[in-house]
Amino acid sequence: MWRAGPIPVSPISKENKKAFRNIVAYQGQNSFYQFMADYFATNIRNAVQKKLGQTELTEELDFAIEMTAHRGAFAMIKWIRGNCEIDEDVLLGYVRGCIPDCLRPFYER
């Protein structure tokens, strides 16, 4: 399980990424890309809500969460397809580097 601070990032690892290659071939509604983006957004949103102690988020935070989730999903799919043969830790570092400033405090332990 990849983690970004306290936030679960992905159940996919170098050891099982080949098994996901067929899954990512499907595009459109109910695609794996959409599943991953929703998975990331849900985990980020839950962590932010928990740290804030509230369920309602500002429009800015909600947008930043969605944008971050889609960036992460894009990077993950590209990596799974084999178009991105870089080390897991390097990839995760790039994804972390794209986190908007308004979300950074929520990634701290």
Side-chain angles (χ1 to χ4, degrees):
M1 171 73 70
W2 290 4
R3 299 186 74 78
I7 302 173
V9 176
S10 174
I12 301 167
S13 67
K14 190 175 186 177
E15 290 75 35
N16 66 6
K17 89 175 193 179
K18 287 182 181 179
F20 284 89
R21 285 198 176 136
N22 287 336
I23 296 170
V24 301
Y26 176 76
Q27 297 180 5
Q29 186 177 2
N30 300 322
S31 68
F32 188 70
Y33 170 84
Q34 191 60 52
F35 166 78
M36 289 304 298
D38 291 345
Y39 178 87
F40 292 156
T42 297
N43 284 312
I44 297 167
R45 190 172 286 110
N46 288 344
V48 170
Q49 290 170 331
K50 183 178 179 179
K51 197 159 190 176
L52 290 175
Q54 60 191 50
T55 57
E56 294 295 317
L57 301 178
T58 65
E59 190 174 338
E60 178 188 5
L61 277 176
D62 199 52
F63 179 81
I65 289 167
E66 290 294 325
M67 184 182 71
T68 301
H70 281 272
R71 283 178 175 171
F74 172 80
M76 182 64 58
I77 297 298
K78 193 162 181 63
W79 184 75
I80 291 169
R81 285 186 177 150
N83 302 339
C84 186
E85 292 296 333
I86 61 175
D87 185 73
E88 294 173 48
D89 292 332
V90 173
L91 176 63
L92 189 53
Y94 290 149
V95 172
R96 282 187 193 129
C98 292
I99 296 169
D101 289 342
C102 65
L103 288 179
R104 288 199 182 275
F106 301 102
Y107 281 83
E108 298 168 0
R109 290 193 184 267

